[in-house]
Amino acid sequence: MPNFLGKRLYPTLLCLIVITVALLHTRAVHAQSTKDILWGPTIVADDPPSYKDQGLDARKFNAGTFGDDYPRAVRLTDSTWLLVFTTYVPGDSGYLLNRKGGNVLVVLQSKDRCQTWKKLSTIADPGRDMDNGEMLQLPNGDVLLAARSVRWQESYRLPVYRSSDFGLTWKRISEIDANEGKPGALGNPDKGVYEPHFYQINPTVLAVMYSTEKHVTESPSFSQTVAEKISTDGGRTWGNEIWVASGDAADRPGMPVWTRMKDGRYIVVYEVGGPKNYPIYRKFSEDGIHWDSGLGTPVQIQKGAPFVVGLSDGTLILTSNNHRVSISEDFGKTWRAVSDAFPGGMDEALFSSIYQTDPEHMALMTGRARPKGGRLIAIRLGALYVER
């Protein structure tokens, strides 16, 4: 009986051993496999000509060589892409030298997955600098665009515009936040509001995060904090300020970007200026509304003006002003560097953003340095792959 059973069981045991070894080998291969991004050629979405200006603008820039900067995009439900960035109308020298001058926002349109672009519309607030454009499509199909509109050290506003014709025309519908004063009264230190970033939490709850310096004169004082507000009427009105991130008095958490992860939680990333010199921090939230107090947790690799996107497979992609690109496969706990889209010096690619274009591809958009001065809007499409 024992010998008979041994003869009967031997092939089965051998088969189990082979299967087990194969599974262990497969797991080892997967453990050694790492994701990376293969980047395609550079696409120039916009590169305006330089011109002779009359002098420095309010931020001590030459408008004539400013070019473009701060690209942000949205994919509409019909797969059309809109891209917004800040620039100058050719010939303008800024509102200090032109009463109706200042930065404007330009909206481009692409119908071939970010390959080619055409100008669709311009948004101006005469006599003010427009920047920090940010877009989102509402569940009803309307497109919202938020921005920063300022007269430096005297007037800071975060207006919201709505388009019901997919970006062709815009109507101003609200202000997320604002701070108004006499010329020079809101400086030394500055007391502005900046850098809005939308997220649609559910069909009836729209949220926006932004940076605010309005608490610098309070006690205790905060040089800058990350704030959030909620709208339940499609951006026409906004609720009370929610504190998202704050540190010591001199810390300056700002430039928040956030997304919902595949596990249902939310992650927000932001820079921390001031004495910490712009490392990137992050926080998590179960519902996108309630956040732990304090400054959050540092993120390695990146520095200044971060942007994060969650891919459909759960991978998080993060980039920042040091032009590095990193990924997280554990919902933001740890990060690993991958191939840069725009390698080079620290000023090579600034105020970048990154978006998923389809299940296997993404688009990284940036303000890229140009030899003639200023920046142009450049894009590189990337494919996420497993490197073995």
Side-chain angles (χ1 to χ4, degrees), residues 67-146:
D68 304 331
D69 218 349
Y70 208 93
R72 297 293 185 263
V74 64
R75 180 175 57 185
L76 306 183
T77 52
D78 67 353
S79 296
T80 297
W81 282 82
L82 300 181
L83 167 62
V84 62
F85 56 88
T86 187
T87 189
Y88 272 103
V89 173
D92 184 29
S93 295
Y95 70 77
L96 293 181
L97 299 170
N98 173 13
R99 186 172 59 87
K100 295 185 178 181
N103 289 115
V104 300
L105 299 176
V106 171
V107 178
L108 306 183
Q109 179 194 72
S110 174
K111 289 186 172 292
D112 57 6
R113 288 175 40 191
C114 304
Q115 297 278 351
T116 61
W117 298 86
K118 71 173 184 179
K119 184 176 178 180
L120 197 63
S121 55
T122 299
I123 299 174
D125 200 355
R128 306 175 67 88
D129 278 342
M130 298 285 285
D131 203 345
N132 304 158
E134 158 71 4
M135 293 181 291
L136 173 139
Q137 188 173 29
L138 294 172
N140 69 357
D142 287 349
V143 181
L144 294 187
L145 188 152

Side-chain angles (χ1 to χ4, degrees), residues 261 267 282 284 299 316 328-335:
M261 301 185 293
I267 182 173
R282 53 87 169 147
F284 301 112
V299 174
L316 296 175
S328 174
E329 298 179 79
D330 55 9
F331 303 111
K333 291 181 182 178
T334 61
W335 298 86

Side-chain angles (χ1 to χ4, degrees), residues 69-72 305 320-323 346-353 365-369 375:
D69 218 349
Y70 208 93
R72 297 293 185 263
S320 68
N321 263 4
N322 66 2
H323 66 74
M346 284 294 292
D347 291 334
E348 175 67 20
L350 297 183
F351 304 116
S352 302
S353 57
M365 307 177 177
T366 196
R368 191 175 192 184
R375 300 186 175 276

